Amino acid sequence: MLQVADTPWKLPARVLQRMGKELEHAREFHSLPAAQRRQQRFDFKSYREPAVVDHLLATFHRKCAYCESHLELTGPIDIELYRPKSSVLENTAHPGYWWTALERRNLLPACRACNIAKRNRFPLRSERSRVHAPDGDLSKESRLLLHPYSDDPGEHLLFDESGEVSGLTEEGTITIAVLDLNRPGLVAARKACAAHVSQIEQAIQQANDQIGLHPRIRMQLHDLGKALVQLAMPSHVYAGANRQFISRVLAKVDVPLPAVEWQWPAVPSASSAARRDAVRLRQHERTALQAEYSLKHQRNLERYRLQSRTIESISISNVRAITQLALPMTHGPDAGGSWMVLLGENGTAKTTVLRAVGAVLAGPDACLELMRNGLLVPSEFIRQRCKSGRVSVKLSGFTEPHTLTFTADSLRFTGAFGAEVTLSMTGSDVQAQGPVSTPPTVLLGYGATRLGARRQMDTQYDFDSPVRVTNLFDPFAPLADANSWLMSLDIRRFSDVALILQDLLCLPPAATLRRRDGVVSVDLHGAWIPLTQLSDGYQGMIALTADILRTAMVFWPSAANAEGIVLLDEIGVHLHPRWQMRVVGSLRRALPGMQFIVTTHEPLCLRGVGKGEVTTMGRDANGEIEATGDLPSPADYRVEQLLTSQFFGLRSTSDPETESLFDEYYTLLALTRPDRAQARRLAELKAELKGRAHFGGTAREQRMYELVDRELTRERQRGALRLPKTSTAARNTVTALWRDAIKQARGGS
């Protein structure tokens, strides 16, 4: 974080006029009685105007206002509201600071990761100072989140050469937690900056040793000083951290600086290595204290809600078909990682990943019940010929991963702080040994079969538990009864859920839900239809959504604020193509703070999925499970292109008979010295495929296809394709082959 100068708006008159009108409409909306605002929302749009975005990017040097990552290089640009506009996570009664939504100092450019981590958080030292209405004095709020305009981060944050940042004050510590400023990508990026500064320091020391020997040394020192200045300029990424690194260098070496103003002070309170070690140790202790909570007790919700608890990485070894697998949820210092979509053929361990993650994060209590009910058998999770299997999940807010080890007759849980719990199985008897361990976050898991609940089943399942993964292991485990749950909600929450269902069900804007005589109905096609009488597709989506919301809203004030992890097998099952195209986008809008890990075989379900959010799972040349991530955005492909791209890996969308002929053709084409029978069969296949117009209609096309087929054959021999990395090489190879063919046709000239 870097303090920047506040600059007046430089916006076209039409944009300022639109912002003014939008604020007046917001005042009118919020002045209406609550009853008239039900099942409606006010959405500010004018702050997303290109002119507004350009002004903010220029002010913050095209960097994230919080973490200083370069926005255009690392991902999408979000406009973040310092004071949230629609609700406040720490105070369920607060309407949100809607009257500040368009104020210049309230709008900040942010990377996706910082925006996801912060969301509607705005912590104060005392809730009594919080302002609830436009006539309040915001300057009297005891805010704990640092502001890039108002606060000097050097007074609150200490950047260590390891890449980690520690809090020098309570404001600094809270800001680190809220924005997740020690996420792995950021730590690695800042560590690289520190290494760069260290290299310059070494060069300065070497030059100083030779200062009496060479007349050009002083100019060299001047150039090195200039390099330090460049790293500290406001336009440079991670300038706030660089300035602290450079200040420590200047305290140790003498270097003539260029004729520019050295604008930042050193950090005297943390100038010594011993002092920095003490601050870093205290930061780790604070992190550990913040992470020690139990979601079984309402009094601990404040700790849980202070910072996002999302999966950063997954590591699995010797579990079922998986020998070794690493799945990062993020790519780069500011990737949000809020969604991961797993693609792959049947038998590539997609469901295994979901169940392994579900088991380790569910914790001993939930797994104890699964084992007693015969739904989780430790020995079935161990890869053949192995003595044990292991899965580790690293969550944000924890310094170490949560780990689960499978043995033939036990599960051993190791928490992020070393506590161990073992569940031992002897026949049908399961015993727990070790301290009670609680789940680190809200966790919901669903298998490919999701049956609607029967009312009488509600009493058999604890739908208010922070962890419910039974359906992921048992297809007959029911989901919550949507009708009875909706009937139990207060008016405000019912209105919030109704808005979500309208979006998920693709209902027209005027459609509403109502409750009468114990039945929830929807205004559809001019008639009030009970939810229980809708089609199976509607009811399936309603049941899943209500099940997620029912648990999420026990621990969070609203769906918009809810956070947790959802593991969902076959997200597009039983959905019409129109719904498949909308389901991801709708769930993102409904539950923006929930992290989803889903599987699918449906290309239409990739609509709404962004770059880096898809991981393909397959088998390498040795038959081992492998994963490929950091793929391009699926939005760049048409549906038929998705099927034949690296996402689904089909070589064509031809009928299976033709595909089988091509498989045989490629196999024979790969032979360097085919025998007579093989050569005869290859000729037959060429004639057959040529007759089906798969080898082009002209001699030119046929020659080109032949060359391409030979290159594809070589790729298949080398194993699984890496199309994002090899497509350029493949094009170059085919081009070279084509040029050779032309050269030969011309007689070698």
Side-chain angles (χ1 to χ4, degrees):
M1 184 177 289
L2 188 71
Q3 188 175 16
V4 299
D6 190 3
T7 57
W9 280 130
K10 295 180 180 179
L11 303 177
R14 61 174 181 81
V15 175
L16 292 172
Q17 185 179 22
R18 181 180 177 186
M19 294 173 77
K21 288 183 178 180
E22 194 170 56
L23 185 59
E24 286 303 314
H25 292 158
R27 291 184 185 278
E28 294 172 3
F29 178 81
H30 285 89
S31 66
L32 294 172
Q36 295 184 35
R37 287 188 274 121
R38 291 172 191 160
Q39 299 190 35
Q40 299 181 54
R41 60 166 68 95
F42 188 89
D43 185 22
F44 287 94
K45 298 179 180 178
S46 59
Y47 66 81
R48 302 186 185 97
E49 285 271 358
V52 176
V53 175
D54 289 344
H55 173 91
L56 295 173
L57 288 176
T59 300
F60 287 88
H61 308 281
R62 314 193 85 80
K63 297 188 300 181
C64 173
Y66 291 128
C67 74
E68 290 198 83
S69 296
H70 197 290
L71 290 171
E72 293 176 334
L73 296 179
T74 50
I77 300 169
D78 290 338
I79 300 303
E80 208 280 310
L81 279 75
Y82 178 70
R83 282 183 169 87
K85 65 182 184 298
S86 57
S87 63
V88 175
L89 192 148
E90 294 85 1
N91 191 315
T92 59
H94 199 281
Y97 297 89
W98 57 268
W99 63 94
T100 70
L102 302 180
E103 290 184 0
R104 184 182 68 255
R105 290 174 61 87
N106 200 54
L107 300 175
L108 304 171
C111 66
R112 180 61 50 84
C114 283
N115 199 25
I116 288 174
K118 179 187 175 290
R119 300 181 57 247
N120 290 334
R121 292 180 171 87
F122 193 67
L124 302 179
R125 186 170 282 104
S126 171
E127 276 298 318
R128 288 179 293 183
S129 70
R130 193 178 296 278
V131 174
H132 287 249
D135 56 357
D137 186 355
L138 294 177
S139 66
K140 294 183 178 179
E141 285 191 324
S142 54
R143 57 186 178 83
L144 289 171
L145 184 68
L146 296 178
H147 194 296
Y149 285 131
S150 307
D151 302 307
D152 179 4
E155 298 177 0
H156 303 276
L157 302 174
L158 174 67
F159 292 95
D160 187 86
E161 277 72 9
S162 67
E164 293 188 2
V165 59
S166 302
L168 294 169
T169 62
E170 184 179 5
E171 290 89 339
T173 300
I174 295 300
T175 298
I176 292 169
V178 168
L179 300 174
D180 192 20
L181 293 182
N182 276 324
R183 54 184 181 268
L186 271 181
V187 170
R190 292 194 297 254
K191 184 177 181 180
C193 289
H196 189 188
V197 173
S198 178
Q199 290 175 352
I200 296 176
E201 177 188 1
Q202 292 174 14
I204 291 172
Q205 291 175 336
Q206 292 174 1
N208 275 332
D209 292 341
Q210 305 174 47
I211 197 163
L213 303 177
H214 202 292
R216 291 180 297 178
I217 294 301
R218 190 157 297 278
M219 180 59 70
Q220 181 183 351
L221 285 171
H222 183 275
D223 291 342
L224 291 171
K226 187 175 180 179
L228 290 178
V229 169
Q230 290 299 318
L231 293 177
M233 294 295 286
S235 58
H236 202 283
V237 291
Y238 315 116
N242 281 340
R243 290 181 177 188
Q244 294 194 18
F245 302 149
I246 294 168
S247 293
R248 293 170 203 147
V249 171
L250 296 179
K252 293 185 291 183
V253 299
D254 180 24
V255 54
L257 298 176
V260 297
E261 185 180 356
W262 207 249
Q263 297 178 348
W264 67 93
V267 188
S269 62
S271 57
S272 70
R275 174 61 174 161
R276 294 197 298 274
D277 288 343
V279 172
R280 186 178 179 187
L281 177 61
R282 188 165 67 249
Q283 176 67 36
H284 281 216
E285 291 172 346
R286 288 171 175 169
T287 301
L289 179 63
Q290 170 59 28
E292 291 179 352
Y293 55 81
S294 172
L295 291 182
K296 293 183 177 180
H297 304 292
Q298 289 285 326
R299 65 178 182 272
N300 292 320
L301 285 182
E302 184 177 347
R303 286 189 186 180
Y304 171 52
R305 292 172 178 170
L306 178 63
Q307 65 186 111
S308 177
R309 310 285 180 172
T310 57
I311 296 175
E312 293 179 342
S313 62
I314 301 166
S315 176
I316 303 174
S317 59
N318 297 328
V319 173
R320 292 190 172 172
I322 299 171
T323 301
Q324 189 69 44
L325 191 67
L327 296 173
M329 284 293 295
T330 59
H331 301 283
D334 71 336
S338 61
W339 275 72
M340 175 187 279
V341 180
L342 299 176
L343 302 179
E345 297 182 20
N346 293 329
T348 53
K350 302 186 301 297
T351 301
T352 294
V353 171
L354 296 186
R355 290 180 174 175
V357 172
V360 66
L361 293 184
D365 288 349
C367 287
L368 183 65
E369 292 302 312
L370 291 174
M371 291 173 69
R372 286 175 173 169
N373 292 324
L375 301 175
L376 197 165
V377 180
S379 60
E380 295 179 358
F381 275 78
I382 304 174
R383 183 173 172 81
Q384 289 185 0
R385 296 185 295 278
C386 294
K387 294 182 179 180
S388 64
R390 190 171 182 266
V391 54
S392 293
V393 178
K394 173 66 171 63
L395 290 176
S396 58
F398 294 88
T399 55
E400 299 295 332
H402 291 74
T403 302
L404 173 58
T405 302
F406 299 93
T407 66
D409 56 2
S410 71
L411 301 180
R412 186 173 71 252
F413 294 85
T414 305
F417 301 103
E420 289 193 359
V421 180
T422 300
L423 304 181
S424 300
M425 177 178 258
T426 305
S428 59
D429 183 42
V430 183
Q431 298 293 329
Q433 298 176 334
V436 176
S437 178
T438 57
T441 185
V442 170
L443 177 70
L444 302 169
Y446 304 93
T449 302
R450 303 183 281 272
L451 302 176
R454 300 185 296 274
R455 289 178 185 266
Q456 63 271 25
M457 297 297 291
D458 248 14
T459 58
Q460 298 185 27
Y461 291 88
D462 184 5
F463 288 101
D464 294 338
S465 168
V467 169
R468 288 195 299 103
V469 295
T470 306
N471 182 261
L472 184 59
F473 295 84
D474 178 11
F476 299 104
L479 278 60
D481 176 26
N483 189 84
S484 63
W485 176 66
L486 289 169
M487 289 298 303
S488 70
L489 297 176
D490 60 40
I491 294 175
R492 182 178 64 84
R493 288 199 165 195
F494 176 76
S495 179
D496 290 344
V497 174
L499 284 169
I500 292 170
L501 291 178
Q502 288 173 20
D503 186 30
L504 285 171
L505 301 180
C506 308
L507 299 178
T512 57
L513 274 71
R514 75 176 184 186
R515 298 181 290 186
R516 183 172 296 177
D517 300 326
V519 176
V520 180
S521 303
V522 59
D523 182 9
L524 197 61
H525 308 304
W528 287 102
I529 302 175
L531 297 184
T532 55
Q533 295 181 19
L534 294 174
S535 67
D536 289 344
Y538 275 118
Q539 290 198 50
M541 180 58 71
I542 291 171
L544 175 64
T545 305
D547 196 90
I548 295 173
L549 291 173
R550 177 168 181 167
T551 295
M553 293 172 70
V554 169
F555 300 93
W556 298 92
S558 67
N561 289 321
E563 295 183 0
I565 298 169
V566 178
L567 309 173
L568 181 57
D569 207 3
E570 298 296 347
I571 187 174
V573 68
H574 303 315
L575 294 184
H576 184 275
R578 185 162 69 101
W579 275 10
Q580 289 179 352
M581 293 181 68
R582 292 174 56 102
V583 64
V584 172
S586 295
L587 286 172
R588 277 188 188 275
R589 288 188 295 272
L591 297 159
M594 301 291 283
Q595 185 179 44
F596 283 77
I597 302 181
V598 307
T599 72
T600 188
H601 291 109
E602 305 291 346
L604 291 176
C605 289
L606 295 187
R607 292 295 180 244
V609 178
K611 184 180 184 301
E613 293 184 329
V614 178
T615 296
T616 61
M617 298 187 64
R619 294 181 182 272
D620 62 16
N622 298 319
E624 298 287 350
I625 298 292
E626 63 174 0
T628 303
D630 201 14
L631 299 173
S633 172
D636 297 338
Y637 295 77
R638 298 190 305 272
V639 174
E640 67 274 15
Q641 290 176 322
L642 284 172
L643 289 170
T644 56
S645 71
Q646 59 268 45
F647 292 105
F648 287 90
L650 296 181
R651 289 184 293 278
S652 75
T653 55
S654 303
D655 65 88
E657 180 185 352
T658 301
E659 189 70 15
S660 177
L661 292 177
F662 264 109
D663 282 338
E664 187 179 1
Y665 165 71
Y666 282 126
T667 300
L668 294 174
L669 192 63
L671 298 175
T672 55
R673 294 183 178 181
D675 59 27
R676 185 174 299 178
Q678 291 168 335
R680 185 169 54 252
R681 178 56 180 161
L682 182 60
E684 292 173 355
L685 288 171
K686 285 184 178 181
E688 172 71 12
L689 292 170
K690 180 179 178 181
R692 299 189 182 195
H694 285 291
F695 277 169
T698 66
R700 178 171 175 267
E701 290 177 349
Q702 292 169 10
R703 180 60 175 158
M704 181 179 66
Y705 285 168
E706 180 180 352
L707 293 171
V708 171
D709 283 340
R710 290 191 180 278
E711 175 58 22
L712 288 175
T713 300
R714 294 174 185 174
E715 292 286 359
R716 294 184 71 190
Q717 286 179 310
R718 289 194 286 265
L721 290 176
R722 296 289 184 276
L723 293 184
K725 298 179 181 179
T726 62
S727 57
T728 301
R731 286 196 299 270
N732 292 339
T733 301
V734 171
T735 300
L737 289 170
W738 184 251
R739 287 173 178 169
D740 288 344
I742 294 175
K743 185 176 181 180
Q744 292 174 9
R746 292 175 177 175
S749 60

